[in-house]
Amino acid sequence: MTDWLLVLAGALVGAPLRYLLGVDAKFRLHSVFPWGTFAANASAALLLGFVAQGATDGDLGPRLQLLLATGFCGALSTWSTFSYELLTLGSARRLGLAGGYLLLSVGAGVGLSFAGAAVADAVF
Amino acid sequence: MLTEVHFLTIGEAHYSVQGPAHPPAHANPLSPDLAQYGVGMLQKMALHTHSHPDHHPGVQLSVVGAVAVGGAAGAAARYGAELLWPTGPSDFPWTILLVNTVGCFLMGVLMVTLKLRFPAAPRLISPLLGTGVLGGFTSFSHYTDNVRQLFDEGRPGYAVGCMLLTVVAALAAVTAGAVATHAALGHGYRTRDGA
């Protein structure tokens, strides 16, 4: 029961944070490039790399994994909105932008995941 | 089939995924002069009052709450899937791949359904179900971390496979969901694409 509550608690913060990042990026940057979703996915990838590697190193326990990894990072990041944004850009024939968004997201996401894990290795 | 996708008009629905706060791209030219920025925003706010009632600043708490509740439900569903079908760090992460693929498909279905069938749906529906439930259900960070762990576990083939297969599956799923819903609702792709 506690496990589920931890997941819910993390997601209750992560999901609206992603929404607010999206609103804020749109308002500030006025760009068709979905910087909000990109920021949410990239920061979640960085944090999850840190948290997951922290578990492997033995210092971040299962409770923190449920709260931060499954709940917060999982809800902060998204594939569904990401893919729909790609479809929207593709439908508008912004194929270069769509391809750049895809490559940048995947490249930065995987890279930041390694970076977060490296930080965890250094800290723990 | 692919050429038909080009005629999907999902600009407005797209922005309601991100939150109802944004004007569609075609009505949103970059202001050439920063001094004009405030005036331009006010004009756009006036123009888009009806379809985009939650212009930033002044994010509505009800929308944030809907996203939070939906996101928690989606994350719980993903957690349930991980409990039902656990995958070890050196296994191919089928569960997260499946979760993300299903979430992308449903996003395509949801956005097109809302646009074509329920254009006057309560304004919290899209934040609740799209940004919230489906956004919380799918996880980009689990995807990137699975790829990293597979590299770390000495499974570079799985890592690259997971990286590429997820991209292909997600894009195919969201496209299939949108196209199938268009077809099922009996709308031509250009019905609302006059501009």
Side-chain angles (χ1 to χ4, degrees), chain A residues 4 18-19 23 26-27 30 37 41 48-49 52-53 69-70 73-74 77-81 83-85 91 113 117, chain B residues 6 10 14-15 18-19 22 28 30 37 41 56 63 76 78 104 111 131 134-135 138-142 145 148:
Chain A
W4 290 90
R18 167 167 45 80
Y19 167 72
V23 172
K26 262 298 179 220
F27 179 71
H30 250 249
T37 306
N41 280 343
L48 185 51
Q53 188 62 25
T70 309
C73 291
S77 66
T78 178
W79 251 108
S80 52
T81 299
S83 71
Y84 198 75
E85 288 163 347
S91 304
S113 180
Chain B
H6 285 299
I10 40 190
H14 159 65
Y15 288 103
Q18 273 292 49
H22 320 302
N28 189 17
L30 281 170
Y37 182 75
M41 275 309 294
H56 181 69
V63 177
R78 172 166 38 78
C104 290
M111 288 298 107
T131 313
L134 295 178
T138 58
S139 171
F140 188 80
S141 55
H142 280 65
D145 211 61
R148 177 188 69 81

Side-chain angles (χ1 to χ4, degrees), chain B residues 8-90:
Chain B
L8 281 170
T9 313
I10 40 190
E12 291 205 14
H14 159 65
Y15 288 103
S16 66
V17 179
Q18 273 292 49
H22 320 302
H26 57 78
N28 189 17
L30 281 170
S31 177
D33 181 356
L34 277 178
Q36 293 283 318
Y37 182 75
V39 177
M41 275 309 294
L42 285 174
Q43 288 169 342
K44 280 164 196 154
M45 287 171 76
L47 281 171
H48 293 280
T49 300
H50 295 297
S51 53
H52 311 282
D54 297 322
H55 249 287
H56 181 69
V59 170
Q60 291 193 5
L61 212 58
S62 57
V63 177
V64 176
V67 173
V69 169
R78 172 166 38 78
Y79 177 52
E82 287 182 303
L83 290 179
L84 278 174
W85 305 292
T87 54
S90 58

Side-chain angles (χ1 to χ4, degrees), chain A residues 28-120:
Chain A
R28 282 177 199 278
L29 304 174
H30 250 249
S31 168
V32 291
F33 190 93
W35 286 113
T37 306
F38 175 78
N41 280 343
S43 52
L46 177 69
L47 180 62
L48 185 51
F50 176 82
V51 171
Q53 188 62 25
T56 307
D57 295 343
D59 282 66
L60 296 181
R63 292 269 165 93
L64 273 175
Q65 298 300 315
L66 292 171
L67 180 72
L68 295 178
T70 309
F72 181 77
C73 291
L76 175 60
S77 66
T78 178
W79 251 108
S80 52
T81 299
F82 176 46
S83 71
Y84 198 75
E85 288 163 347
L86 288 169
L87 178 62
T88 306
L89 289 171
S91 304
R93 298 171 190 268
R94 309 290 294 260
L95 293 179
L97 203 58
Y101 180 39
L102 175 64
L103 291 177
L104 187 64
S105 294
V106 172
V110 174
L112 286 168
S113 180
F114 274 102
V119 173

